[in-house]
Amino acid sequence: MTTAPGQVSVAQEGLRHPLDPDPARATKARAVFALGLLGLLTGLFIGGVVPATVALQLARQARREAYSSGGFLTGGAWLRRGERMAWAGLVLVAVTVVAVVVIGVVRLAGAPFGHDYPANMD
């Protein structure tokens, strides 16, 4: 039963063609999650920048593939969690870099500048 020309009836929306593939979880979604977790865990050690950026690049590819698959690739929740953890890892890297720079500047400011000659020398 349709209400206007061109609309599909409600009863036909649930039917699938027998040759359509079964929905499957995208393997890149798991990789994004794992790399995001690794980036989050190693973010304070500056090494988290590499897995976090790889996770964000893979997430872009996975979203593009999921969109083009027409709904047959799942794993959007894994992608979102992995992206959030990757961004958190990058934030931890930035915080660590800023802290190291501030500590370095403070130590440099406290160190004597130039030569420190003895008091009996002109």
Side-chain angles (χ1 to χ4, degrees):
M1 163 182 297
T2 60
T3 57
Q7 288 185 345
V8 178
S9 77
V10 178
Q12 292 179 353
E13 285 182 15
L15 297 177
R16 282 185 33 202
H17 191 273
L19 297 178
D20 283 344
D22 290 329
R25 182 177 298 151
T27 56
K28 286 186 181 179
R30 288 183 186 171
V32 167
F33 182 80
L35 288 169
L37 182 63
L38 186 63
L40 180 66
L41 293 177
T42 60
L44 286 176
F45 306 114
I46 310 290
V49 72
V50 173
T53 53
V54 172
L56 292 174
Q57 290 298 319
L58 271 178
R60 286 184 63 202
Q61 291 175 4
R63 285 198 190 282
R64 206 174 309 128
E65 289 175 3
Y67 180 76
S68 66
S69 73
F72 292 111
L73 284 178
T74 62
W78 288 86
L79 278 175
R80 283 189 299 276
R81 289 182 198 131
E83 281 179 320
R84 286 182 192 145
M85 287 189 290
W87 280 113
L90 288 176
V91 167
L92 286 175
V93 168
V95 166
T96 303
V97 167
V98 168
V100 166
V101 167
V102 166
I103 289 171
V105 167
V106 168
R107 284 192 180 177
L108 184 64
F113 182 72
H115 295 288
D116 191 20
Y117 295 107
N120 63 353
M121 201 168 192
D122 284 337

